[in-house]
Amino acid sequence: MPLDRSSLRRRSLPAPAQAPVPVHLAPVFAADPPTLLTAHGCWYPSVDPGGDQVAYICDRAGVPQLWSGSARGGEAHVLDADPDPVTEVSWSPDGRWIAYTSAPGGGEHTRVLVVRPDGTGRRVLAGAEPGAAAHLGCWTRDGAALAVTVAQPSADAGAHSGAGHLPEDASPGPADGTTGAAWTERDGHATLLGPPHRAEPGPYANGLPHLVPAPPAATADGAASGGLAAYLLDPDGTRAPVLLFSEAGAASLRVCDVGAEGRFVLLRRGPRGRREALLLDAASGRTTFRLPVADGDPWIGRLSADSRTLWLRSDADREFAALLRARLDGAGALQDLSVAAERHETALDLLSLPEHGGWALLAWNVHGASELETVGLPTADPDDGLGPHHRSVLPHEVVTRMAPVGRGGLFAALSGSRRRPGIWDLTSDFAPVRTGWSARDEDAAPPGRPPVSPVPLRCRARDGLMLGGWYYRAPERDPGRPAPCVIHLHGGPEEQERPVFNPLYHELLTRGMDVFAPDVRGSSGWGRSFVDADLGTGRFAAIDDVADCAAHVVTHGYADPLRLAVMGRSYGGYLTMASLVWHPDLFRTGVAVCGMSDLATFFAGTEPWIAQSAAAKYGHPERDRDLLRDLSPMSRIDQLRAPVLAVHGEHDTNVPPTESEQFVRAARERGVPAELLTLRNEGHEFLRADNRRLYRRAAADWLEQHLGSAALPRS
């Protein structure tokens, strides 16, 4: 049914000055790249309405780009040959456009583009303005418009200075931990410190605020003070942008669904650990329903065809996310909330509901591995229970994305410990068949160097909290002989270590080093209480978790106590620096990748929306100034003893490169060996094949130099 834009049109006037302006790009009729990698990954599939073609992200040319391939053949072609990495893909329901997000320079200032399936008509819909960033939302049901979130630049340019670099004579950072005046102005809606508020089910339908969409707040000179705004954009450019919702000082905002009639809009907003679903009545601007939802995948749910049922992936009032069914009245108010599907101590990781509405796709997170199933949805009586459950036997451990076909069928992105990411067709009897353009399992690593499957490992922290993780044993290592071991820490901290092929681990293992990749407190996958266990002063315990994980592998005879290293990226980079200064005699060396060394300078330099979200996790940079100073590795830099390698992307505006620069400089001033590797044309994620190769070889060289190894012969 065509989208009824009459109610939305009233909201579009007057549109704020910051509304996105489409930019048409020159046609790119380049042939497929001349050099293609045999060992490549394919991920993030989106299927055309007929199920004949799949748009996806692939790095076979050395950088993640937009490709399109035959659903059941081996033919595939690149649709955008630009060198900017692609991060998300969405095929329009009418089949006319493919929307995608790209990251110029690999940084956080992403932009949203569209292109025709034949590669023509490429244009930037949002994010082309200097200093702006745009994020992909959903399509309307008829494909006439695309929802996009736009990050408005802050008026106080000094409050968040972006990536930048320290001049040679710069001091490490503010000694008093101050971050500038902008934080009192951007206090916003962030919920700070303490356990998350979990309201009782009854009040979800009552007492809702009247959040009227409005342009971001303006300063006296008319400049926007920053925030996030959601728009509906016409990819054909014949209609003006429609403003759906705007929030000054917002931490996140995503349009997840627009109802069939266009009246109700499902939003996901809020900082990390405090996400919530909002159901917006676009005609009145009133939120009719709100509910806490889980972190992780931002695509949290979908409305039924008549907008009387809302299906959500939520952990409201529970430890683990489940499938919830919210029955709504004609005005969008909650009538009943119930659990439709749940598992004991297992979280619903991914939820996808096809256009036909006959069944739902559920991917469950079982201690890091995935279980995939379909469940039938009630079609006649909304009070009916769910239909039959069908489970698929997966060839690899983890489902990273599900892409249902409008008329029926399914494609899924799978990843495992012994293969590169690939896309599989599950249309026939829910049995996975690898697509012809995904890399073969045997091409995951060079001949003679097969990948290693990890084993799950549990250990108990000093305060009794049970921790989990995955242990990788170097091949051909004598099981009774302790090995040099690298404790590798993931980012987030709400991410989770999962058994997927990691070329860095593979590099370390082939050089004779074991890898233990734990989930310290604050990680996802182990319940809401575990995620919140590092809030406030609990972060000191998270730092101790790293030492306890090292002690565990030493005590059980896996690791050599004299040859331990610690390494991590993003929040894991922060934990690496913190572990080196809180436990200075435990590790022989460390590799800190894109980590925060001083939480005050991090808040001053990161993007405004990232700062708002981080405040809910780490603490407020003004009210919790003393705590943040005590938690910052720079506050204990005099305790550093072990040599350290820092690695950073030059365009990182999530964790600015100054965080690594000041830590390395301070280490050198104290006589501690320290080096900094800056990767060109990269941001917070390292996305280009040549830079990824440089990074993992430099890290492995550094660790091998300081730990030594019994390396295997390399072909």
Side-chain angles (χ1 to χ4, degrees):
M1 180 178 293
L3 173 68
D4 179 6
R5 302 178 65 94
S6 59
S7 62
L8 297 178
R9 196 171 297 117
R10 293 194 298 272
R11 310 298 311 167
S12 67
L13 298 173
Q18 292 80 16
V21 178
V23 176
H24 292 256
L25 302 175
V28 178
F29 298 109
D32 289 343
T35 302
L36 298 177
L37 303 176
T38 300
H40 64 271
C42 301
W43 63 96
Y44 217 110
S46 185
V47 190
D48 77 336
D52 300 318
Q53 294 287 318
V54 183
Y56 60 97
I57 302 173
C58 183
D59 63 357
R60 65 191 304 184
V63 62
Q65 293 175 317
L66 177 66
W67 286 68
S68 177
S70 171
R72 291 164 189 88
E75 183 180 359
H77 300 284
V78 65
L79 291 180
D80 187 341
D82 277 359
D84 296 330
V86 174
T87 58
E88 290 183 298
V89 180
S90 180
W91 208 309
S92 66
D94 61 5
R96 298 171 56 244
W97 293 100
I98 300 171
Y100 58 107
T101 305
S102 74
E108 298 298 319
H109 289 258
T110 54
R111 57 184 188 171
V112 174
L113 302 91
V114 291
V115 67
R116 299 285 190 186
D118 62 0
T120 63
R122 191 171 62 108
R123 63 194 64 174
V124 180
L125 282 190
E129 300 84 1
H135 309 282
L136 192 64
C138 68
W139 289 94
T140 55
R141 301 290 175 98
D142 61 358
L146 176 70
V148 170
T149 297
V150 177
Q152 308 288 358
S154 174
D156 186 351
H160 294 274
S161 53
H165 296 277
L166 284 176
E168 291 298 321
D169 58 350
S171 60
D176 61 355
T178 58
T179 59
W183 264 100
T184 55
E185 299 169 5
R186 291 191 295 100
D187 203 1
H189 294 85
T191 304
L192 307 167
L193 290 183
H197 174 64
R198 299 287 162 182
E200 294 301 318
Y204 291 144
N206 303 314
L208 298 177
H210 189 201
L211 297 177
V212 179
T219 58
D221 60 0
S225 64
L228 299 177
Y231 293 87
L232 281 180
L233 304 180
D234 176 10
D236 293 305
T238 60
R239 297 184 179 94
V242 175
L243 177 63
L244 292 175
F245 188 88
S246 180
E247 182 180 352
S252 69
L253 182 63
R254 172 91 63 156
V255 180
C256 298
D257 191 25
V258 178
E261 299 295 333
R263 177 179 176 183
F264 295 110
V265 179
L266 176 62
L267 303 169
R268 175 185 180 263
R269 65 163 299 280
R272 291 152 50 181
R274 308 290 187 273
R275 311 291 191 192
E276 64 177 356
L278 295 182
L279 188 62
L280 175 71
D281 183 337
S284 66
R286 180 178 295 276
T287 54
T288 64
F289 169 68
R290 71 194 312 160
L291 186 76
V293 293
D295 280 316
D297 187 67
W299 303 104
I300 56 173
R302 184 178 171 93
L303 289 156
S304 61
D306 61 2
S307 296
R308 298 299 293 268
T309 301
L310 175 60
W311 301 95
L312 285 172
R313 182 182 68 87
S314 171
D315 62 354
D317 301 310
R318 55 196 311 108
E319 279 289 317
F320 294 89
L323 176 62
L324 302 189
R325 173 167 57 183
R327 292 201 304 146
L328 311 171
D329 64 18
L334 180 67
Q335 289 186 314
D336 178 70
L337 183 66
S338 60
V339 177
E342 62 180 333
R343 290 194 184 183
H344 178 64
E345 294 189 352
T346 300
L348 181 58
D349 205 24
L350 300 173
L351 168 65
S352 184
L353 294 103
E355 187 73 28
H356 56 70
W359 37 266
L361 296 160
L362 311 178
W364 299 94
N365 183 334
V366 185
H367 296 164
S370 297
E371 292 186 4
L372 180 63
E373 68 175 351
T374 64
V375 295
L377 300 180
T379 55
D381 187 345
D383 291 326
D384 290 346
L386 297 184
H389 293 234
H390 299 284
R391 296 184 182 178
S392 176
V393 178
L394 301 176
H396 300 288
E397 292 98 322
V398 179
V399 180
T400 61
R401 182 65 44 191
M402 301 181 295
V405 181
R407 58 173 173 77
L410 169 67
F411 287 80
L414 305 180
S415 192
S417 58
R418 299 177 63 86
R419 67 150 293 115
R420 304 273 175 164
I423 297 173
W424 295 68
D425 182 0
L426 289 85
T427 300
S428 178
D429 298 325
F430 212 33
V433 177
R434 183 180 60 85
T435 55
W437 25 264
S438 290
R440 302 177 304 167
D441 291 2
E442 53 266 35
D443 294 329
R449 300 170 60 189
V452 172
S453 290
V455 295
L457 190 63
R458 303 298 300 272
C459 60
R460 195 172 297 278
R462 63 191 64 186
D463 62 358
L465 184 65
M466 186 63 71
L467 311 175
W470 298 88
Y471 196 90
Y472 296 77
R473 188 73 168 171
E476 301 181 16
R477 169 75 65 183
D478 181 355
R481 182 183 176 188
C485 182
V486 179
I487 309 296
H488 188 276
L489 306 165
H490 63 68
E494 306 92 337
E495 294 178 14
Q496 182 187 14
E497 189 66 34
R498 309 194 73 170
V500 297
F501 179 73
N502 188 323
L504 170 66
Y505 296 175
H506 184 70
E507 184 76 33
L508 298 177
L509 291 164
T510 57
R511 300 199 189 197
M513 290 174 274
D514 286 4
V515 176
F516 180 34
D519 289 321
V520 301
R521 70 191 68 204
S523 305
S524 63
W526 304 93
R528 167 56 63 182
S529 297
F530 193 88
V531 171
D532 291 340
D534 68 344
L535 294 177
T537 57
R539 198 157 315 282
F540 293 110
I543 297 170
D544 287 338
D545 286 349
V546 181
D548 294 340
C549 289
H552 181 83
V553 295
V554 168
T555 301
H556 284 73
Y558 305 140
D560 184 341
L562 300 181
R563 293 194 291 172
L564 291 172
V566 61
M567 178 180 184
R569 195 196 69 81
S570 191
Y571 176 75
Y574 159 80
L575 276 184
T576 296
M577 297 178 190
S579 299
L580 292 175
V581 297
W582 259 272
H583 302 282
D585 299 319
L586 180 58
F587 299 104
R588 288 278 295 273
T589 188
V591 179
V593 184
C594 300
M596 305 95 73
S597 61
D598 186 311
L599 293 173
T601 55
F602 159 71
F603 274 110
T606 189
E607 299 288 352
W609 66 92
I610 295 175
Q612 287 287 0
S613 196
K617 191 67 180 174
Y618 304 134
H620 193 281
E622 294 294 346
R623 296 197 295 269
D624 300 306
R625 183 185 309 168
D626 293 342
L627 172 64
L628 296 182
R629 181 176 59 247
D630 292 343
L631 286 168
S632 295
M634 286 296 294
S635 69
R636 295 175 59 92
I637 192 65
D638 289 336
Q639 300 298 312
L640 183 66
R641 302 287 184 272
V644 61
L645 170 67
V647 186
H648 227 110
E650 68 168 337
H651 299 312
D652 189 351
T653 60
N654 183 325
V655 178
T658 50
E659 294 300 305
S660 287
E661 293 170 3
Q662 64 192 8
F663 194 79
V664 167
R665 178 170 301 174
R668 290 173 175 173
E669 290 172 352
R670 289 156 177 80
V672 179
E675 298 293 338
L676 173 62
L677 171 63
T678 300
L679 297 179
R680 305 302 177 192
N681 295 313
E682 297 287 6
H684 197 58
E685 306 281 348
F686 304 156
L687 301 175
R688 304 175 192 277
D690 54 348
N691 279 331
R692 294 198 304 267
R693 188 182 309 111
L694 172 62
Y695 153 60
R696 62 177 179 263
R697 290 181 177 175
D701 288 345
W702 179 271
L703 292 166
E704 193 173 30
Q705 172 189 346
H706 292 282
L707 295 185
S709 71
L712 301 176
R714 280 187 283 166
S715 58

